[in-house]
Amino acid sequence: MLRLIATIRKEWLLLLRDKAGLALLFAMPLILITVMALIQDAPFKDYQEVKFDILTVDNDHGRLGRYIREGLGSSGQFNVIDSLNNQPVSEATAKTLIGEGHYKISIVIPKGSTAEIVSNANKIVNDISKRMGIPAQLPVKAIASDSLAVQLYFDPAAKKAFKSAIRQALDNFLTQVQTDLLLERIQMQLRSKDSTATDTFPAIKLKAVGLQETNLGKNQEIDVISNSVQHNVPAWSIFAMFFIVIPIAGNMIREREDGSLVRMKLIPGNYLSILSGKLLFFVGICVIQFYLMIAVGIYGMPLLGLPALQLGVDHWAGFITALSISITATAYGILIGTIFKTPNQALNFGAISIVILSAIGGIWIPLEIMPEKIQTIGRLSPLSWGLDAINDVYLRNGDIKFILQDITRLLACGLVMLGIAAWVEQRRIN
């Protein structure tokens, strides 16, 4: 116990003597998570959250153009612009503005498109009526044109994913417009057959089954949306906690060089008590560091125009996760400080190894979008286990059962590293 208390006191005094280092230990992670959340805010936003200006050129002046403008405007995703300087937008003007990058998207509705859709719908209705023994009544154009197409123009600098998302949204909308017109023609044909029920004929509804989004979290009263703050604050907090390797390894090597470790060992007791003292002290520092960064996510990010961090519903699970990550990070620092003999060796290896483990562990970019082989390696990173556990608590509203596997891995990894450090130091003593 005397060794344990002496070790904690020694580490506290060492930390206090280096006030600049102490300030950097807490200040740098706060700057890191703030900068990363700000930088990655835009890429994390879904296209549905962004409103785009869309130039529309209506050469048809029919129902299709009106439907498209009204539909795009009501979707909430587009600002429909069909005139500039009180003049209707022409196709040539739209192409020029898109090419120069003033707008991202333009849609051109060709002349005769409404007549073509109506004629096609009439042809389908007449075919159905003929099979039902009803004489064809709706007019059909003699020669249908297959060349009509709503033309899309994109900014040449637009990303492929952006184009795909917009094209998919417009394609779905055009399908809906054409389906509505077809159903309208069917309804018209049925009304003409049953002339006595013209005013009371029921509307045809094609969409019998809809879609409903339901939160799968255990506690569904909190609907957490993944965004830049929700990813970056916990992820970079874990990264910063593992950088505790630097002060731990530096202190341990200095202790060996100035002889204070020898004096500590002269106190009766086991060397594990010294390791335990270091572990307790730096785990406490890591936990304080973690919750300081979490506080910035909750209270500081909204001041910068970013969403506030959500902590899920089981705060004990979040604390146990932070504690497990802190133990593993501290154990890694003790191992590095034990194995390497000089500060240059320990600090270079420790810093670079943390960067590598964080890169493959999904701290920088999500693990799911990495190559399959890298994913396999990345899932072995302790930072990946910590991030998974945090996401289970903060994004999936999970409890202890959700994180049991990950915190078991973290604690087992920490114990193994402490065991190796104790074995190496014992051999050195012998």
Side-chain angles (χ1 to χ4, degrees):
M1 182 56 74
L2 187 60
R3 281 188 169 200
L4 181 73
I5 296 171
T7 304
I8 292 175
R9 184 171 181 273
K10 174 189 65 69
E11 298 295 344
W12 173 245
L13 291 174
L14 282 176
L15 206 59
L16 280 184
R17 285 175 188 169
D18 187 6
K19 290 187 171 53
L22 181 62
L24 291 175
L25 187 65
F26 289 98
M28 292 306 291
L30 300 184
I31 296 171
L32 176 68
I33 61 169
T34 304
V35 170
M36 295 308 296
L38 284 170
I39 289 174
Q40 295 193 11
D41 183 51
F44 263 84
K45 285 184 178 175
D46 294 333
Y47 287 127
Q48 287 75 14
E49 297 177 13
V50 181
K51 205 163 185 175
F52 298 100
D53 290 336
I54 180 167
L55 292 174
T56 57
V57 180
D58 187 3
N59 293 325
D60 181 55
H61 304 293
R63 295 173 63 186
L64 178 62
R66 178 163 52 84
Y67 282 3
I68 288 178
R69 287 197 305 276
E70 291 175 355
L72 291 175
S74 63
S75 69
Q77 192 177 355
F78 302 101
N79 289 319
V80 179
I81 299 173
D82 55 6
S83 62
L84 295 170
N85 299 322
N86 296 322
Q87 295 292 325
V89 180
S90 65
E91 185 171 353
T93 304
K95 289 168 71 174
T96 302
L97 293 173
I98 294 292
E100 293 175 352
H102 298 295
Y103 293 90
K104 296 291 182 187
I105 328 162
S106 175
I107 179 170
V108 178
I109 302 160
K111 184 179 180 181
S113 53
T114 300
E116 189 66 35
I117 293 172
V118 171
S119 176
N120 188 55
N122 287 349
K123 184 175 182 298
I124 294 172
V125 173
N126 287 342
D127 288 344
I128 295 173
S129 299
K130 186 178 178 182
R131 292 173 187 273
M132 295 171 64
I134 305 171
Q137 296 178 353
L138 300 177
V140 178
K141 289 174 64 176
I143 301 174
S145 173
D146 295 330
S147 60
L148 283 180
V150 174
Q151 185 68 49
L152 285 176
Y153 295 106
F154 285 103
D155 179 1
K159 302 294 182 188
K160 189 175 180 180
F162 169 77
K163 292 180 181 178
S164 299
I166 299 300
R167 191 184 295 115
Q168 182 67 39
L170 289 173
D171 189 51
N172 290 340
F173 183 70
L174 284 173
T175 302
Q176 181 65 44
V177 171
Q178 295 180 75
T179 305
D180 288 346
L181 281 170
L182 175 60
L183 292 176
E184 182 185 294
R185 310 310 287 180
I186 293 173
Q187 197 171 26
M188 184 185 300
Q189 180 74 339
L190 293 176
R191 278 184 181 144
S192 66
K193 177 177 179 294
D194 190 1
S195 57
T196 60
T198 302
D199 296 331
T200 58
F201 202 88
I204 298 174
K205 291 184 177 179
L206 183 64
K207 199 171 185 180
V209 179
L211 293 173
Q212 183 177 5
E213 183 177 339
T214 304
N215 181 21
L216 287 178
K218 181 185 176 184
N219 299 286
Q220 299 180 6
E221 62 269 22
I222 294 180
D223 184 14
V224 181
I225 298 173
S226 180
N227 51 47
S228 64
V229 172
Q230 210 65 38
H231 171 78
N232 282 300
V233 172
W236 292 104
S237 297
I238 296 170
F239 178 75
M241 289 162 73
F242 268 85
F243 258 85
I244 201 74
V245 166
I246 304 298
I248 294 176
N251 285 353
M252 291 184 69
I253 292 172
R254 277 197 298 273
E255 284 171 359
R256 283 204 298 270
E257 290 176 345
D258 63 17
S260 58
L261 182 62
V262 175
R263 292 194 291 276
M264 292 287 294
K265 288 176 180 175
L266 290 176
I267 302 174
N270 195 297
Y271 179 69
L272 281 175
S273 59
I274 296 178
L275 287 183
S276 301
K278 289 183 183 296
L279 188 70
L280 285 174
F281 179 79
F282 284 105
V283 164
I285 294 291
C286 283
V287 171
I288 293 171
Q289 196 182 41
F290 178 79
Y291 277 102
L292 194 60
M293 289 184 275
I294 293 299
V296 170
I298 296 172
Y299 303 108
M301 295 301 171
L303 300 177
L304 300 173
L306 299 175
L309 180 71
Q310 300 287 330
L311 297 185
V313 294
D314 194 332
H315 301 304
W316 275 111
F319 174 74
I320 291 171
T321 303
L323 196 63
S324 304
I325 296 169
S326 302
I327 291 172
T328 308
T330 304
Y332 187 54
I334 291 174
L335 179 64
I336 296 293
T338 304
I339 291 176
F340 292 98
K341 296 180 179 177
T342 68
N344 283 339
Q345 293 175 2
L347 302 187
N348 288 334
F349 180 85
I352 294 172
S353 64
I354 294 302
V355 171
I356 293 172
L357 289 172
S358 66
I360 64 173
I363 300 294
W364 295 18
I365 58 173
L367 203 60
E368 291 74 17
I369 63 174
M370 295 182 188
E372 192 173 342
K373 290 181 180 176
I374 300 296
Q375 285 188 35
T376 305
I377 299 171
R379 295 191 194 287
L380 301 177
S381 168
L383 282 82
S384 170
W385 306 334
L387 187 59
D388 283 345
I390 286 289
N391 285 338
D392 282 340
V393 176
Y394 288 177
L395 287 176
R396 302 184 182 97
N397 292 322
D399 54 19
I400 298 291
K401 286 185 290 186
F402 276 68
I403 61 172
L404 199 56
Q405 185 179 28
D406 288 319
I407 61 172
T408 302
R409 287 175 177 171
L410 285 166
L411 293 176
C413 180
L415 288 175
V416 168
M417 287 189 286
L418 282 177
I420 294 173
W423 177 73
V424 170
E425 191 60 34
Q426 194 61 45
R427 283 197 62 184
R428 192 173 287 154
I429 293 170
N430 292 338

